[in-house]
Each structure stands twice: as structure tokens, then as C-alpha cells.
Amino acid sequence: MQGLLYEENSFGLFLLVTLVLGGAGAWLSGRAIALTWRPWWMAALAMLPLGAAVRFVHFALFDGTLLSPYFYAVDAAILIVIALAGFRATRRRQMARQYGFLVAPIATE
């Protein structure tokens, strides 16, 4: 699996930087975009600079490759998926709260 998703010597570094640190930022970004009622594609677009930041952390702290289009695409794709999940979870709660009468059960007599 090394070489496909991550380039470091340890899968733990990939988990820490990309999934934990970058994933937390992606989830919160997706949540913030949903809370301001913006469209979903803005969450995906916002992950492109965050993917570059994650790639920089790999480079600066763990001697990863900075200008690697493949690993940047992998990091950005993972962050986009996490951001869209955060966006979807938040938007679902918003819609249920705002338009709850649309899904309320009909009382039968």
C-alpha cells in the first residue's frame, strides 16, 4: 500500500497528517460552508489549498516530496471526501431543523 496513498516510511505519519490533522480541518471547513448555506462545490474547492498545506506539512516535518502532483491529488481527494461528508452531515441537520414539517409523520385518526 505504500506508494499508492502515502510516501512516508510509516502509515502512522499518513494517518496523523492527512487523516487526523487535514481531515479535522476538512470536516470543519465543510461544516462552516454548510452553515453559511453555500453550495457543496465550494467545500470541494476549498480543499485544494488545504491539500497543498497538508503536502507542505509532509514536506517540512517528515521529508516528503513537496511538488508531487500524484500525492497532492491523493491528499486533496481524501480531504474533499471528508469535507463533503462534513458538509452533508451539517446540511442534513439544517434541513431537518428548518423544514422538519416536511418529514413529520402524518397523524392518523
Side-chain angles (χ1 to χ4, degrees):
M1 188 135 129
Q2 181 185 5
L4 292 177
L5 291 179
Y6 61 98
E7 65 179 331
E8 288 84 10
N9 296 329
S10 168
F11 184 67
L13 293 176
F14 171 75
L15 285 175
L16 174 69
V17 176
T18 301
L19 295 180
V20 175
L21 297 176
W27 182 274
L28 292 174
S29 296
R31 182 179 180 274
I33 290 171
L35 285 174
T36 56
W37 293 93
R38 294 184 178 143
W40 66 270
W41 57 266
M42 291 188 82
L45 190 63
M47 293 306 101
L48 298 178
L50 186 60
V54 166
R55 187 89 308 255
F56 178 76
V57 171
H58 281 290
F59 166 73
L61 298 180
F62 304 111
D63 293 329
T65 306
L66 178 62
L67 299 176
S68 170
Y70 177 75
F71 290 119
Y72 169 74
V74 169
D75 289 342
I78 291 170
L79 295 177
I80 287 171
V81 168
I82 294 171
L84 291 178
F87 178 89
R88 176 73 179 123
T90 303
R91 182 58 52 95
R92 189 183 62 208
R93 280 192 302 272
Q94 282 179 314
M95 296 300 266
R97 185 179 64 241
Q98 187 80 19
Y99 304 109
F101 61 90
L102 293 175
V103 293
I106 299 172
T108 58
E109 294 182 40

